[in-house]
Amino acid sequence: MAPAPRDMADGPSPARGIGSRPNPDLPKMAAALPLPPAARSCRQPAPPPGRCRSPPRRACVRGEPAAGRGLRSLRAAMGRAGRWLPAVVALFYGALAALVLLGVRDVLFLYEENRCSMTYMYEYPEYLKIKLPKKTARRYPAYELYLYGEGNYAEENKNLLLTGIPVLFLPGNAGSYKQVRSLGSIALRKAEDIDFKYHFNFFSVNFNEELVALYGGSLQRQTKFVHECIKVILKLYRDREFAPTSVAIVGHSMGGLVARALLTLKNFKPELINLLITQATPHVAPVMPLDKYLTDFYTAVNDHWILKAQDLRNLTTLSVAGGFRDYQVRSGLAFLPRLSQHGSALSVVSSAVPRAWASTDHLSVVWCKELILATIRAFFDLIDEDTRQITEDPKKRMSVLNHHFVRHPAKIFEESPEAFTELTGAFTWITVKASKWTYSVYNDSDGKYFTFPLASHRKSSSHVYCENSMLDTSSWIYGCMNSNSSMCLEATDLSWRAELLPTTKVVILKLQDYPSLSHIVIQVPPTAGNKYTLDCEFFQEDSRTVQLPVTHLFSFGLSSSKIVLNSTGLLYNVQLQHFNQIYQAFKIHVESHCQSLKERKPNVYRLHIPWSHEDSIIVAKVPSLTEISAKLHIARPQNDSRVPELNIYSSSDCQYETSLTQILGQIIRFHAGALPAYVVSNILLTYGGQLSTWISTGQCPDFTLELVRTAKPYKVEPLISVVVFLQGFNWFREIWESLSLPEVDAAALSSQDTWFPLVSLILFLFGTGIAYWSGVFFSLSLRLFSSLWFTLIRPTAPRRDTKLLTPRGLCGVLSLALVSWTTCGAFAIVIIYLQYWFKVIKLHVNVRAEQNMINGDSDGSKETSQNSSNDTVKNQSSIDCTSKATQSLPNSTTAEAVNNLKMHVTILNLFTWIMLLNLPSLIYWLKNLRYSVSLDPDPCRSTAVILVCILELLINSNISELKSSKLLKIAAKVPLPLSVAMVAFGQLHLYKVPHFVTFSLLLHVLCCIV
C-alpha cells in the first residue's frame, strides 16, 4: 500500500537535503489563506495522543476546489523560485570572482615586456668572507659579511689591503648576498676603463635569505648587525692615505628599510653614511602587515625620519621603484615619505630613468643593465678628486642624482659648467628665418653654424623646439646675446637645457624666459660616415595643446574619449583632464597615419606625470597602432593643480588618432593586502548568522546559504564611513583619542591618497565572493576526503564524545601549549588545525554512515509494506505508526549530527584563515631551525596557546549543548561588532584579524560550558 499523503495544512514536506533550511513562515502563510467548505471538509481531526493520523479519503482529494489548487500552485511557484535561487546566487558571486580575477590578471600579466638587458661578467666572481669580531659572530651566528671580487682584482684583495671607496649592499626579503654581482662587476669594468684612478670596493651582507617582509621579528637584529659591519669595513681602511670616514649603502627591497633604520639606533652616528640608494624598497608601509613587529618597525623608522629630518640633511637618499612590472612592491610604497627632507631625498620609477626607460620586476631591479649603468655612472661622478671618496657636498650629490636619474641633458656631468662659450672654428654661418627648419647631415666635411634671429618670432611664437638625432655628449645649441651681426663669437650653452630621449635629444625653450637672447645658434660639426637630422620650429603653445577628458569611473570601459591630430608640427601635448587619482586606469591608443612613404624616424610617446617622477616612454614605428597604459603610482597632492600630459614627439605630415578607454586593476594593486580582513569579516558574519538561526529554528543552515543571507555590506560599511567622517572634526578626534582607540585604517589610507568612498564597498563585495567560493571549494574538498575515508575504512558504529576535555585531550593541550611557548606558536596552530580538520572529516563520514543506515531501513520497510499489501487499512496504519516511532530517534540523531557538522565546517573555515595568516612565521622558524629551536620574538605565541585550548575543546563540542547556554545570545550577536572592528582596524594590521576570531571562538567555548 502506498504511503499516505500529507495533509495540506501540515506545511512543507520534511524530506530535505543537508544544505536546506525550512521556512518557518510557510505553514503560517498556508494556514492564513481562507479555504472553501469543500476544502475545509478535507481536514482530518487530530488523532488522540499516541496514535497516528489515518490517511485521508481519496474522494476528498479528488473533489478539491479551485482555492486548494491555487494554494498548491503558490507553493509550487515558491519551490521553483527556491530552486532557481542557488543558481542566481552562484552567478552573482561568480561575477564578483571574475572581477577579482580580472584585477589580478591586470596586476600579474598586463604590463610591458621586459626591456632590461642582463649584466655579464668577464671573469669568475668570488666572494671573500670578512672575519668578524668574535663577539659579533657569536651574537649573530646566521649573518656574514663578504667582499666581492673577480679575477686578478679578487686575488689582490685577499690580504684586505683595500684602497677603494666602500659600498655596502644589503639584500632584501629572501635575498642573497650574491646579488651584489651586477653592481660590483660593472663598477670594476668602469674602473679598468680609467686605469683604476678611482675604484669601488663592494661589500655584501648575508642575511641567510630571511623572510623579513613576512616576519618582522628579525629586522631590528639585522639593523644592529649592519651597524657592526660598517664599523668592521671602516677599520679595513685604517691608516690608508685616503681613508674613508663613511660608506655608501645600496639596499634592495627590505634591505633599504634596514639601512634607513640604522639612523634610529641610539649609538649610531649619522655621518657614517653619506649616500643611500634603495631599490624597490617599500618605504611607506609593509606589503603584508602580518605581525606587530613589522608594523612597529615601520612606524619607528618613518617617525624618526620625519621628526629628525633636519639632522639627516647631510644624508642623500635615492629610492628607485620598479614600475608596473614589480607586482610584489607597488611603486607607490617605494616613494619616500613626503615630510622627510625635501632637499636631500629623491624618488623615481625606473621607467622614468634616462637611458633606462624600462620597468623592472622585483628581482631584475638588481641586475637590469641599463639601470645598473646609470647607478655606476652616478657613483663615479660623485667622487671628489681631492679626497678620492664620495663628495661631502649634499648639493653636488643631489645634482649628480638628478643628472642621471631625472633629466639627462645628453652631456657629461659638470658641477659648474661655464656660463659662456666661444664659438670658434672655420665653420660656415647660415641665417635661417623660417619658423620651421629641417637639416639632414651625412658625410659633411664642413662644419656649419645655423643662426635663428628671435626678434621676428617673439610676437607670433611663444616657444622654440629643436631636436637632434645625434646622441653624442657634445654641445650643439647655443644662445647669442645682443648680436646685430650674422656671427656670434660668444654665447651661452643651451645644451644643458636639453633632454635625452630614446631616439633623440630635444630642447624646448620658452622665449619669454630668455629676453636677453637675440639669436639661437645650432652647431653642425663635420661628420664622417654619420647620418643624423636636426629639426627646429617656432610655435604658439596653445596651438600644440589639446585637452582630452578621461572617461568616468563607472563607465566600466563602455565609453571612450577620442581626438584626431592633423600634425603640422613636431610636438603635441595632450592634457588628460581629471586624471589625478590612483583608482583611475586607462588604455590610450595612438594610431598614426602618414601621407608619404619615405623613411621616417620613430615616434616617441611620453606619459608625463608632473607631480612625481613616474613618466613612461614608448618608442613606436610609423605608421603604427600603439597602446599606452595610463595608471598612477601616486595620486595628485591636494595643493597641486597640474595635469598629466601625453607628449607626442611626431612627424610633421602624419595624422594621430588618440582614444582612451577604462580598464580594471588598480584596486587589486593598491588594496589586495586588505582582502583577507574582508574575507574573514564575511565568514565571521556568517558564523554569527548560523548561531542566530540555531536559536530561532533549532537548525544550523549551510555556510553558503547563510553567507548569502547574512553577509551584507550595510551591516559594516556605514558605521566605518561615519567614524571616518567624524574624525575630520577635532572634538571627535579628541574623544576618540581619550578612549585610547587606534586610528581607523581607512583614515590612514585617506592620508596616503589611496582611498576613495566606494573602495571599501568594492573590497567587501570582493571579500564576499572569495568567501563564497572558498566555502564551496572547502565543502567539495571535505566531501572528497570523506569519500576516500568512507571507501577505505567503512565505519559502522560512529562514536560520540560526551566530554569536552578527555584526559587524552588534556595531555594534548598541555603538549601543544608547551610546543607553542618553547618553539613556535604557528607550529602549534598548524598541528591543532590538522587535528581539527581530521575531526571534521571524521564527523562528515559519520553523518554519511548514519544516513546510509537510515536509507537502508527505509528501503526494508518499503519492501515489507509491498509484501503485505493485502492487509487491511487498520493493520497498515498500525504498522506505519510503529515504523515512525522506531525511526524518530535515528532521524533526530542524524539531524543533530548534520547541524553539528555545519557548525564545525564554519569554525574550520575561520580557523583556516587564522592558520594562513600565521604561516609566514612558521616558514621563517623552519628556515632558521638550525640556529635556534625557539622563535624569538614570536608574534603569535600567546595567541597560539589560547587557540590550542579553544580548538581542543571545540573538537569534542556538540551544537546541541549550546541550546541551554545563557551566553548563546551574546555569542550570536558579538560577531557583528567584531566584523566591523576587523574591517576598521585590520586592513593595515592583518595580525589583528586572528584576535577578533579568537575572541568569538572563546565565547563559543564558554557557551558549551556555561
Side-chain angles (χ1 to χ4, degrees):
M1 181 175 179
R6 290 179 53 84
D7 186 71
M8 289 184 296
D10 289 342
S13 172
R16 299 181 182 272
I18 293 179
S20 61
R21 178 166 63 91
N23 188 351
D25 298 331
L26 193 57
K28 299 177 182 179
M29 295 169 56
L33 294 174
L35 297 178
R40 286 195 297 270
S41 66
C42 290
R43 291 180 181 268
Q44 300 296 319
R51 296 182 57 187
C52 291
R53 185 189 298 274
S54 60
R57 290 171 291 183
R58 295 183 180 274
C60 250
V61 177
R62 291 194 194 100
E64 184 181 11
R69 291 194 298 271
L71 178 60
R72 288 196 301 168
S73 301
L74 174 63
R75 291 174 178 169
M78 295 177 66
R80 287 193 296 271
R83 289 192 297 270
W84 279 102
L85 182 61
V88 174
V89 169
L91 182 63
F92 173 74
Y93 289 115
L96 288 179
L99 289 176
V100 175
L101 292 177
L102 283 176
V104 172
R105 174 176 172 266
D106 179 74
V107 173
L108 298 183
F109 302 105
L110 298 184
Y111 45 71
E112 66 180 66
E113 62 181 6
N114 184 20
R115 293 186 286 183
C116 284
S117 303
M118 176 62 76
T119 54
Y120 294 98
M121 302 165 297
Y122 296 95
E123 296 175 287
Y124 191 79
E126 295 185 27
Y127 303 90
L128 178 63
K129 186 176 180 180
I130 305 298
K131 186 177 181 180
L132 300 174
K134 292 182 179 180
K135 183 178 179 181
T136 303
R138 213 171 30 245
R139 185 179 299 175
Y140 310 100
Y143 302 157
E144 297 169 324
L145 178 64
Y146 288 89
L147 173 65
Y148 177 82
E150 294 179 17
N152 294 332
Y153 171 76
E155 291 292 331
E156 294 172 359
N157 288 331
K158 282 187 176 180
N159 54 7
L160 296 180
L161 298 177
L162 306 178
T163 57
I165 303 170
V167 179
L168 179 61
F169 175 79
L170 304 181
N173 178 60
S176 170
Y177 65 95
K178 295 182 180 181
Q179 290 174 320
V180 72
R181 178 192 62 83
S182 297
L183 284 168
S185 181
I186 291 182
L188 184 59
R189 301 283 86 78
K190 179 77 171 176
E192 289 177 350
D193 291 341
I194 59 174
D195 295 329
F196 284 93
K197 180 181 179 182
Y198 311 112
H199 70 279
F200 289 85
N201 301 128
F202 277 86
F203 298 85
S204 183
V205 173
N206 179 16
F207 284 136
N208 194 31
E209 300 183 6
E210 292 179 337
L211 301 173
V212 288
L214 303 178
Y215 169 75
S218 63
L219 284 171
Q220 192 70 19
R221 184 162 56 246
Q222 288 188 0
T223 305
K224 294 179 179 179
F225 178 74
V226 172
H227 185 196
E228 298 298 326
C229 289
I230 293 175
K231 295 178 183 178
V232 172
I233 291 172
L234 292 179
K235 285 182 181 179
L236 295 176
Y237 295 87
R238 187 178 296 173
D239 300 329
R240 300 293 187 270
E241 183 180 359
F242 299 99
T245 58
S246 60
V247 299
I249 295 182
V250 178
H252 172 239
S253 188
M254 296 297 289
L257 186 69
V258 169
R260 290 180 60 210
L262 285 169
L263 300 164
T264 65
L265 298 178
K266 293 182 180 179
N267 299 326
F268 185 80
K269 300 178 181 179
E271 56 268 19
L272 292 179
I273 307 176
N274 51 28
L275 176 65
L276 172 59
I277 298 179
T278 65
Q279 301 170 328
T281 297
H283 292 292
V284 178
V287 178
M288 294 292 289
L290 294 175
D291 65 64
K292 189 175 186 296
Y293 304 110
L294 190 59
T295 56
D296 289 349
F297 189 82
Y298 265 91
T299 302
V301 172
N302 287 330
D303 288 350
H304 182 86
W305 276 60
I306 292 173
L307 297 176
K308 303 292 184 178
Q310 293 299 323
D311 298 339
L312 306 177
R313 60 183 181 273
N314 291 325
L315 171 63
T316 303
T317 308
L318 169 67
S319 175
V320 181
F324 290 109
R325 282 188 62 86
D326 188 353
Y327 54 81
Q328 296 184 42
V329 177
R330 61 178 178 86
S331 297
L333 293 178
F335 278 64
L336 291 164
R338 295 174 183 172
L339 294 180
S340 62
Q341 64 272 33
H342 293 276
S344 59
L346 179 64
S347 301
V348 299
V349 180
S350 61
S351 60
V353 175
R355 306 175 78 172
W357 298 300
S359 177
T360 61
D361 59 55
H362 197 63
L363 292 179
S364 67
V365 71
V366 301
W367 56 256
C368 179
K369 182 178 180 180
E370 290 77 8
L371 195 58
I372 298 300
L373 282 172
T375 305
I376 297 302
R377 293 188 190 108
F379 269 129
F380 276 88
D381 284 342
L382 286 168
I383 297 175
D384 188 336
E385 294 185 359
D386 297 330
T387 62
R388 296 199 173 185
Q389 297 293 326
I390 291 180
T391 178
E392 297 295 331
D393 185 2
K395 292 183 178 180
K396 180 181 178 181
R397 292 199 294 256
M398 285 304 299
S399 298
V400 171
L401 295 181
N402 277 285
H403 179 92
H404 289 282
F405 288 91
V406 178
R407 185 185 181 93
H408 198 293
K411 287 181 65 66
I412 298 175
F413 175 78
E414 295 181 21
E415 184 177 0
S416 300
E418 295 182 0
F420 297 98
T421 303
E422 294 184 1
L423 302 182
T424 59
F427 287 12
T428 304
W429 289 81
I430 303 175
T431 302
V432 180
K433 297 184 179 180
S435 60
K436 185 182 297 183
W437 169 81
T438 300
Y439 185 78
S440 297
V441 183
Y442 182 67
N443 283 335
D444 194 349
S445 59
D446 298 328
K448 297 180 176 63
Y449 285 120
F450 293 91
T451 62
F452 298 81
L454 298 181
S456 59
H457 297 288
R458 289 189 180 276
K459 293 183 179 180
S460 59
S461 303
S462 61
H463 290 73
V464 58
Y465 168 82
C466 293
E467 61 182 21
N468 186 353
S469 61
M470 172 62 78
L471 302 181
D472 59 354
T473 59
S474 58
S475 298
W476 60 284
I477 183 169
Y478 304 90
C480 189
M481 304 176 64
N482 301 322
S483 175
N484 296 323
S485 63
S486 59
M487 298 178 60
C488 182
L489 299 180
E490 189 177 61
T492 179
D493 192 353
L494 298 177
S495 303
W496 293 104
R497 307 291 182 183
E499 183 176 9
L500 182 65
L501 295 177
T503 61
T504 184
K505 49 187 178 183
V506 301
V507 60
I508 304 174
L509 302 176
K510 188 176 182 179
L511 299 181
Q512 187 179 355
D513 295 339
Y514 301 92
S516 60
L517 294 185
S518 61
H519 293 75
I520 287 179
V521 180
I522 303 293
Q523 180 183 6
V524 180
T527 59
N530 293 326
K531 183 178 181 180
Y532 62 96
T533 304
L534 295 101
D535 296 276
C536 284
E537 68 168 345
F538 292 85
F539 63 91
Q540 193 69 28
E541 184 180 18
D542 296 340
S543 64
R544 302 298 173 85
T545 303
V546 181
Q547 296 182 350
L548 177 65
V550 300
T551 56
H552 194 268
L553 174 64
F554 298 106
S555 64
F556 299 106
L558 301 178
S559 62
S560 63
S561 300
K562 186 176 181 180
I563 59 171
V564 177
L565 302 175
N566 292 314
S567 176
T568 58
L570 302 174
L571 173 66
Y572 278 89
N573 296 322
V574 180
Q575 295 183 346
L576 304 178
Q577 298 292 325
H578 314 298
F579 180 37
N580 49 36
Q581 298 297 329
I582 55 98
Y583 56 82
Q584 296 174 298
F586 309 95
K587 287 289 185 183
I588 302 177
H589 303 272
V590 182
E591 186 174 2
S592 60
H593 306 279
C594 299
Q595 298 177 0
S596 59
L597 300 178
K598 65 180 182 180
E599 181 181 356
R600 298 181 176 278
K601 62 181 181 181
N603 286 335
V604 177
Y605 307 123
R606 178 171 66 177
L607 181 63
H608 175 59
I609 310 301
W611 56 81
S612 64
H613 304 296
E614 54 179 282
D615 294 4
S616 57
I617 296 179
I618 294 179
V619 180
K621 297 180 180 179
V622 179
S624 65
L625 175 61
T626 306
E627 185 179 85
I628 303 172
S629 179
K631 306 172 189 176
L632 294 177
H633 298 292
I634 296 291
R636 185 176 67 184
Q638 295 182 355
N639 56 352
D640 199 327
S641 60
R642 291 174 292 180
V643 179
E645 292 182 342
L646 175 64
N647 304 134
I648 301 178
Y649 301 91
S650 62
S651 298
S652 58
D653 57 348
C654 294
Q655 184 185 78
Y656 296 88
E657 184 176 307
T658 304
S659 59
L660 186 145
T661 57
Q662 183 177 335
I663 59 175
L664 299 172
Q666 288 291 82
I667 291 181
I668 297 297
R669 186 185 310 278
F670 280 81
H671 301 287
L675 278 177
Y678 285 92
V679 175
V680 180
S681 175
N682 277 274
I683 300 175
L684 198 58
L685 286 174
T686 306
Y687 164 76
Q690 286 179 318
L691 289 180
S692 300
T693 306
W694 170 252
I695 294 174
S696 59
T697 65
Q699 293 194 21
C700 181
D702 187 69
F703 173 80
T704 53
L705 296 178
E706 190 62 28
L707 176 73
V708 174
R709 189 184 72 87
T710 309
K712 305 297 182 183
Y714 62 80
K715 296 182 179 181
V716 176
E717 295 304 318
L719 181 60
I720 297 177
S721 300
V722 170
V723 171
V724 172
F725 173 75
L726 291 177
Q727 282 191 336
F729 299 96
N730 293 329
W731 62 269
F732 184 83
R733 196 159 49 247
E734 292 176 358
I735 295 175
W736 189 271
E737 294 175 354
S738 65
L739 297 176
S740 300
L741 293 174
E743 184 183 18
V744 178
D745 289 347
L749 291 170
S750 298
S751 64
Q752 299 174 11
D753 296 327
T754 58
W755 193 258
F756 66 100
L758 291 179
V759 68
S760 186
L761 174 62
I762 295 173
L763 290 174
F764 188 93
L765 292 176
F766 284 174
T768 308
I770 295 173
Y772 178 87
W773 287 109
S774 65
V776 172
F777 175 78
F778 208 76
S779 178
L780 291 176
S781 60
L782 187 62
R783 289 175 182 271
L784 176 63
F785 285 111
S786 63
S787 298
L788 293 175
W789 180 293
F790 193 83
T791 304
L792 297 175
I793 299 180
R794 271 322 228 193
T796 54
R799 295 176 53 188
R800 300 188 180 278
D801 298 321
T802 57
K803 295 183 179 180
L804 282 179
L805 188 61
T806 61
R808 182 178 179 181
L810 180 60
C811 293
V813 169
L814 295 178
S815 301
L816 288 178
L818 183 62
V819 168
S820 173
W821 200 259
T822 57
T823 59
C824 176
F827 182 52
I829 289 177
V830 170
I831 293 176
I832 194 68
Y833 172 78
L834 294 177
Q835 291 183 5
Y836 203 96
W837 178 268
F838 175 78
K839 167 69 178 179
V840 174
I841 293 177
K842 190 175 179 181
L843 185 60
H844 196 282
V845 171
N846 293 341
V847 169
R848 289 190 59 182
E850 291 182 3
Q851 289 178 337
N852 289 344
M853 292 174 60
I854 294 174
N855 292 335
D857 294 342
S858 177
D859 293 340
S861 64
K862 288 182 179 180
E863 183 178 354
T864 303
S865 65
Q866 290 177 358
N867 293 334
S868 59
S869 59
N870 296 326
D871 293 345
T872 60
V873 174
K874 182 177 179 179
N875 292 334
Q876 179 63 42
S877 62
S878 65
I879 293 174
D880 291 340
C881 236
T882 305
S883 176
K884 291 182 178 181
T886 56
Q887 292 183 8
S888 61
L889 181 61
N891 279 335
S892 62
T893 305
T894 304
E896 178 184 330
V898 170
N899 291 330
N900 198 34
L901 173 63
K902 293 175 182 177
M903 181 55 66
H904 279 290
V905 168
T906 302
I907 294 175
L908 184 61
N909 202 346
L910 275 173
F911 193 53
T912 300
W913 285 92
I914 296 179
M915 186 268 298
L916 292 176
L917 290 175
N918 288 285
L919 201 58
S921 61
L922 174 63
I923 298 173
Y924 180 91
W925 174 71
L926 291 174
K927 190 176 180 63
N928 293 271
L929 193 57
R930 58 177 175 169
Y931 299 106
S932 176
V933 177
S934 177
L935 179 63
D936 185 32
D938 190 347
C940 56
R941 177 175 296 162
S942 56
T943 304
V945 174
I946 298 174
L947 281 174
V948 164
C949 300
I950 291 175
L951 267 295
E952 186 63 39
L953 294 174
L954 288 178
I955 284 177
N956 298 322
S957 67
N958 196 304
I959 194 172
S960 60
E961 301 170 355
L962 304 178
K963 196 71 173 179
S964 58
S965 175
K966 299 177 182 179
L967 300 176
L968 182 58
K969 292 184 178 180
I970 298 177
K973 293 180 180 179
V974 162
L976 176 58
L978 289 180
S979 298
V980 176
M982 190 179 300
V983 173
F985 305 112
Q987 298 182 55
L988 297 180
H989 307 82
L990 289 178
Y991 63 89
K992 294 181 179 180
V993 171
H995 301 163
F996 298 117
V997 177
T998 302
F999 182 77
S1000 185
L1001 295 181
L1002 179 61
L1003 285 178
H1004 190 118
V1005 171
L1006 293 177
C1007 289
C1008 297
I1009 300 174
V1010 180

